[in-house]
Amino acid sequence: MTHNPDAAAAEHAESRPVLVVDFGAQYAQLIARRVREASVYSEIVPHTITAAEIREKNPVGIVLSGGPSSVYEPGSPSLDPEILELGIPTMGICYGFQVMAQQLGGEVAKTGAREYGSTEVRLAGDGGVFLNEQPPTQSAWMSHGDSVVKAPEGFEVLASSDSTPVAAFGSDERKLYGVQWHPEVKHSAFGQQVLENFLHRAAGIAPEWNADNVIAEQVARIQAQVGSGRVICGLSGGVDSAVAAALVHEAVGDQLVCVFVDHGLLRQGEREQVEKDYVEATGIRLVTVDAADQFLTALAGVSDPETKRKIIGREFIRTFEAAQAELVAEFAAEGDPIKFLVQGTLYPDVVESGGGTGTANIKSHHNVGGLPEDLQFELVEPLRTLFKDEVRAIGRELGLPEAIVGRHPFPGPGLGIRIVGEVTFDRLELLRAADAIVRQELTAAGLDAEIWQCPVVLLADVRSVGVQGDGRTYGHPIVLRPVSSEDAMTADWTRLPYDVLARVSNRITNEVDGVNRVVLDVTSKPPGTIEWE
């Protein structure tokens, strides 16, 4: 490890959050990400949160998200009015802006003039502390039907558009501000500056949240939770489990032991990457279980994707439990039982499962099929407040190999769900070879950071006629599925350069026996999912 927190790190207090109040916005998570990009810690909370609950969380600021509703609709999301009286700097966005205006005595009306998409916004004067040092006219992204037509008493109108007389307002005295547009989306040319003006200037929040602080906080938290107890982690080789294990190891060292299950559904070189590069970088004790034959036997004759997932999950549980039982017996004999299980839960998992406090359910996509509910361990979840890009930053700070930290997301069931049809050894070898070529060419072209992931899919039950050499062939198609995304909730297909696609296609059809056609999936999500199965 390259990172060594000093003694002061153990006393590092957890960052006070900026709370993002979610009114049902599709962009609530994006707002939270943008706040963190300004080096300020953020958390998402429901709009039903009370003023008393807000006080308990002791936030340094509040951001009210947008939402699909109208403030005039019966039963539309509302806000505890006392929240705006707490003296906490608050910023409203779109629907949140209208809720602020209405509750503070302003006026929101159905003007009949809707604004959707790129809209020209004009600042009033210098824009005040909230919007200053920005162009007097700028392009912003709007999505609203109702409009604020009168600012609350004591508030200054800071911006307007052709259809919206009050597109932004603010009160420096009360530290309450709002905008009708969406500063969190990149279509708003100066959106991030609007957020940073609110956070750093209007609210006076220092940009102090960074990878070093996160590591220090989590090390202190893990040490307090685990004490001298033993910890086990199911290591998949993916970013989440790799960084989670590294953080725990940073905190408790040799009290942690990792189990790596090779189910035979991995991509080329992944087992070696974990056993050699990761272990060398961390010094973690790793127990590898070779279970490829067990999984292939269980999957024989099965083509249905859901059945495959269930089989892979079941076999993973059995394999992990067997390895866990051996380790539990080993440590129990030494009088030092295993009490804790590391889980790579990320913040989107917490939010999407309801954002509840306490221990989150173990989610199946982290550990292939979901670990049994009756495992007698207390969960250690060092990443549950982080987004994927933040996890990568933590991994780099901890000195993990770039091949692991920069790795594209890979499903727990592995290549088992990238073979459309029955999973066999020969088909796995074929797909492994094709996948390796795609990864090599994307890396050589410098495209790894530009795409979210690129599943390579084998249509095992489909054959097409081809011509290779002097004869006709009857081979399988390979599907390329390059996608761009920020969080995998939505995604668009990535426009890879034609020369890269040509090299990939030529190499696969020339080097991978049994493939005579390469096709490109150009479907967004929605309607299509990222994985085919």
Side-chain angles (χ1 to χ4, degrees):
M1 293 288 183
T2 60
H3 182 92
N4 293 296
D6 56 26
E11 299 176 5
H12 189 91
E14 185 173 358
S15 300
R16 291 174 59 196
V18 164
L19 298 180
V20 177
V21 178
D22 184 5
F23 285 104
Q26 59 176 321
Y27 293 135
Q29 287 195 36
L30 184 56
I31 295 170
R33 289 170 59 92
R34 297 291 182 248
V35 171
R36 293 182 183 202
E37 287 171 13
S39 299
V40 176
Y41 178 59
S42 63
E43 293 179 5
I44 300 172
V45 295
H47 69 87
T48 52
I49 193 168
T50 65
E53 290 169 333
I54 292 272
R55 273 193 297 266
E56 276 185 32
K57 288 182 173 290
N58 193 26
V60 289
I62 299 171
V63 178
L64 308 179
S65 84
S69 303
S70 165
V71 293
Y72 293 110
E73 289 177 4
S76 60
S78 60
L79 185 73
D80 182 345
E82 291 184 23
I83 290 174
L84 298 178
E85 306 299 326
L86 293 175
I88 300 168
T90 301
M91 172 183 173
I93 294 174
C94 194
Y95 181 82
F97 169 61
Q98 295 173 6
V99 168
M100 285 184 73
Q102 190 178 65
Q103 290 193 354
L104 293 168
E107 185 178 343
V108 181
K110 292 184 178 295
T111 63
R114 300 182 176 187
E115 290 178 313
Y116 295 102
S118 184
T119 304
E120 186 178 273
V121 172
R122 297 177 297 277
L123 303 191
D126 65 1
V129 67
F130 184 41
L131 300 178
N132 65 5
E133 296 186 8
Q134 296 184 35
T137 301
Q138 58 185 265
S139 176
W141 190 260
M142 295 278 200
S143 181
H144 68 104
D146 300 343
S147 296
V148 178
V149 295
K150 179 182 176 183
E153 186 176 346
F155 280 68
E156 182 181 358
V157 176
L158 300 175
S160 61
S161 71
D162 288 343
S163 300
T164 305
V166 185
F169 61 46
S171 168
D172 292 338
E173 179 183 355
R174 299 182 66 179
K175 296 190 182 300
L176 299 177
Y177 306 87
V179 291
Q180 182 59 68
W181 65 92
H182 286 271
E184 72 275 18
V185 302
K186 293 189 181 297
H187 304 293
S188 292
F190 294 87
Q192 186 64 17
Q193 188 174 337
V194 171
L195 282 167
E196 292 184 7
N197 275 0
F198 167 70
L199 296 167
H200 304 320
R201 295 181 176 181
I205 305 167
E208 295 178 340
W209 193 74
N210 53 45
D212 269 335
N213 288 347
V214 173
I215 293 171
E217 289 173 6
Q218 290 304 323
V219 164
R221 174 179 289 180
I222 293 164
Q223 288 172 341
Q225 179 184 4
V226 171
S228 61
R230 289 281 186 175
V231 190
I232 190 171
C233 175
L235 193 66
S236 70
V239 178
D240 303 343
S241 65
V243 176
L247 258 177
V248 174
H249 188 258
E250 184 79 7
V252 299
D254 291 342
Q255 293 167 233
L256 170 70
V257 60
C258 291
V259 175
F260 177 64
V261 176
D262 182 356
H263 45 36
L265 309 173
L266 300 170
R267 296 186 292 187
Q268 194 176 94
E270 288 183 326
R271 174 170 172 171
E272 294 78 8
Q273 190 180 78
V274 173
E275 290 183 321
K276 184 177 183 296
D277 298 341
Y278 182 74
V279 171
E280 283 184 2
T282 61
I284 285 174
R285 178 187 171 187
L286 180 67
V287 174
T288 300
V289 181
D290 189 340
D293 290 343
Q294 172 186 334
F295 278 77
L296 274 175
T297 299
L299 288 166
V302 178
S303 295
D304 178 72
E306 278 307 304
T307 305
K308 285 194 290 187
R309 284 180 178 272
K310 289 177 181 177
I311 289 171
I312 294 168
R314 181 194 70 208
E315 296 304 315
F316 180 87
I317 291 170
R318 289 175 176 173
T319 307
F320 186 87
E321 282 186 319
Q324 161 229 315
E326 290 183 12
L327 289 168
V328 166
E330 174 189 330
F331 291 123
E334 299 172 4
D336 210 359
I338 298 175
K339 297 180 180 179
F340 300 93
L341 172 69
V342 179
Q343 180 72 8
T345 309
L346 301 191
Y347 194 50
D349 305 330
V350 177
V351 174
E352 289 160 21
S353 62
T357 57
T359 301
N361 291 329
I362 299 175
K363 307 193 89 180
S364 62
H365 60 274
H366 280 301
N367 47 45
V368 183
L371 294 176
E373 294 181 0
D374 60 352
L375 278 179
Q376 300 302 307
F377 300 120
E378 181 181 335
L379 287 185
V380 178
E381 298 176 298
L383 309 180
R384 66 179 282 118
T385 63
L386 304 177
F387 289 101
K388 178 75 81 172
D389 55 334
E390 295 164 342
V391 171
R392 296 190 199 278
I394 299 303
R396 292 186 177 100
E397 189 69 22
L398 289 168
L400 298 188
E402 186 60 31
I404 289 179
V405 174
R407 186 182 188 223
H408 289 167
F410 187 58
L415 298 180
I417 60 166
R418 291 186 178 175
I419 295 175
V420 179
E422 182 186 1
V423 179
T424 68
F425 177 80
D426 289 342
R427 289 174 173 182
L428 283 167
E429 288 296 285
L430 185 156
L431 181 53
R432 260 191 277 271
D435 177 88
I437 290 171
V438 174
R439 289 189 289 148
Q440 289 163 10
E441 291 298 334
L442 291 178
T443 299
L447 295 171
D448 286 338
E450 295 185 23
I451 65 175
W452 175 262
Q453 65 187 116
C454 185
V456 179
V457 180
L458 171 64
L459 303 185
D461 290 342
V462 176
R463 288 182 180 269
S464 66
V465 176
V467 179
Q468 290 173 303
D470 295 325
R472 289 163 63 86
T473 60
Y474 199 48
H476 297 289
I478 284 286
V479 180
L480 309 181
R481 176 67 166 132
V483 294
S484 299
S485 180
E486 286 198 333
D487 51 20
M489 295 179 69
T490 60
D492 193 15
W493 67 279
T494 306
R495 277 66 169 172
L496 294 178
Y498 287 156
D499 59 334
V500 175
L501 290 172
R503 283 197 301 274
V504 167
S505 178
N506 287 339
R507 285 194 61 192
I508 290 176
T509 53
N510 286 329
E511 299 175 29
V512 182
D513 190 29
V515 176
N516 63 0
R517 194 177 298 271
V518 176
V519 299
L520 179 66
D521 183 346
V522 294
T523 314
S524 63
K525 177 189 178 182
T529 55
I530 292 177
E531 298 289 346
W532 272 49
E533 289 200 338

